[in-house]
Amino acid sequence: MKSSTSVKLTTYDGFELDARYTHIENARKAVILAHGMTSSMEKEVITGEVEKRLNEAGISTLRFDFRAHGNSKGDSVKDFTISGEMIDLETMVGFIKEKDYTWVGLVGCSFGGGIASLYAGANADVIQALCLVNPVLDYAETFLNPTTEWTKKYMTDAEKRIAKDGFIELGSAHYRIGPALIDEIKEYSPYELLEKYYGNLLIVQGDQDEILNHQELYTQFINLESDTKRMEIIKGARHGFHEAPYTQEVAEMIADFFAS
């Protein structure tokens, strides 16, 4: 039996986060799904499809909106930070740990893939399996030294523009980021902490990604010393796997990874 409930969870620093918890009766496994920057649990198409596949496989799920995203509280210019999103993810893990599960998995997409890497690397004993979907593993290099179609368009001269205007608008949604995020981008390195993660790891990346350089990501992957790592390059797929048949292909791959 499946039951899905909307929940509001409050972080220790006072942000109310919107989440959806789907409990599968007698499930021993639960997977937390984290979206990317400017997105939300509803907009992140791939995590919605993964959630459905996981539930069908008898695995409970928790999807949520990071602070200043979706229906969660917060102002994107001043409240969207890496340290803040780390607190948000910690809050979700705490919620799941209070339930009767013996195994916890984590999915992180794009910017949220970096957050998931930071958390899993620091808490390898908590996360039994980690899936990163076109993850940003080097925040500073990706956003402050832009080389791809999307980052060149929105992040060129980011520090100068934020110093002048106080924010930068990203994407078609005109999502605003502020100086606090730029400062932390230079401070946090997801890749360095991912090197400390020893659980099962799957990275899924499209070779037509307009935001991330898949060849740089592959180099980072092969340099990981993990014995349980795996990377899948999806030919023809762009960032986010929003289009068919990539959404279905990747969702099935991720669900199989957690179910095995």
Side-chain angles (χ1 to χ4, degrees), residues 60-80:
S60 298
T61 53
L62 179 66
R63 295 173 72 193
F64 70 100
D65 290 336
F66 281 112
R67 65 185 61 194
H69 289 80
N71 291 319
S72 291
K73 302 297 183 182
D75 175 82
S76 64
V77 174
K78 62 186 179 74
D79 298 324
F80 171 33

Side-chain angles (χ1 to χ4, degrees), residues 50-254:
V50 171
E51 176 187 54
K52 182 174 72 174
R53 303 285 181 111
L54 290 173
N55 295 160
E56 291 171 350
I59 300 172
S60 298
T61 53
L62 179 66
R63 295 173 72 193
F64 70 100
D65 290 336
F66 281 112
R67 65 185 61 194
H69 289 80
N71 291 319
S72 291
K73 302 297 183 182
D75 175 82
S76 64
V77 174
K78 62 186 179 74
D79 298 324
F80 171 33
T81 60
I82 295 169
S83 58
E85 290 205 341
M86 290 288 290
I87 294 171
D88 298 345
L89 182 51
E90 182 180 358
T91 301
M92 298 302 139
V93 174
F95 175 85
I96 288 296
K97 287 174 68 175
E98 291 177 354
K99 309 298 180 182
D100 192 22
Y101 297 108
T102 58
W103 187 102
V104 180
L106 175 60
V107 177
C109 299
S110 193
F111 195 94
I115 301 298
S117 299
L118 289 167
Y119 183 86
N123 300 275
D125 57 328
V126 174
I127 303 300
Q128 277 69 55
L130 173 66
C131 176
L132 305 176
V133 182
N134 29 65
V136 183
L137 297 184
D138 189 330
Y139 285 137
E141 187 65 25
T142 299
F143 295 115
L144 301 184
N145 296 294
T147 60
T148 62
E149 173 189 334
W150 191 92
T151 55
K152 284 181 179 179
K153 181 176 181 179
Y154 293 108
M155 296 299 296
T156 297
D157 295 325
E159 292 180 276
K160 292 180 180 178
R161 289 159 57 206
I162 279 191
K164 176 178 178 290
D165 301 324
F167 63 86
I168 290 176
E169 289 188 345
L170 303 179
S172 58
H174 305 291
Y175 186 89
R176 292 183 174 185
I177 63 172
L181 178 64
I182 295 299
D183 288 343
E184 289 197 346
I185 277 174
K186 294 182 284 187
E187 179 182 341
Y188 286 87
S189 176
Y191 184 81
E192 289 183 8
L193 271 180
L194 184 60
E195 290 183 308
K196 301 179 185 300
Y197 180 70
Y198 49 76
N200 289 330
L201 171 65
L202 170 65
I203 298 177
V204 188
Q205 175 64 38
D207 73 347
Q208 298 300 311
D209 196 320
E210 70 279 16
I211 295 179
L212 302 177
N213 185 318
H214 76 278
Q215 294 176 328
E216 291 179 2
L217 181 62
Y218 180 72
T219 299
Q220 293 170 330
F221 168 77
I222 61 175
N223 287 332
L224 289 172
E225 295 184 1
S226 170
D227 294 326
T228 57
K229 67 182 182 180
R230 171 183 155 206
M231 184 173 185
E232 297 287 346
I233 302 292
I234 310 300
K235 292 184 178 180
R238 291 169 67 84
H239 195 77
F241 304 108
H242 295 296
E243 303 89 12
Y246 308 113
T247 306
Q248 293 75 19
E249 177 185 350
V250 171
E252 183 176 356
M253 183 184 299
I254 294 171

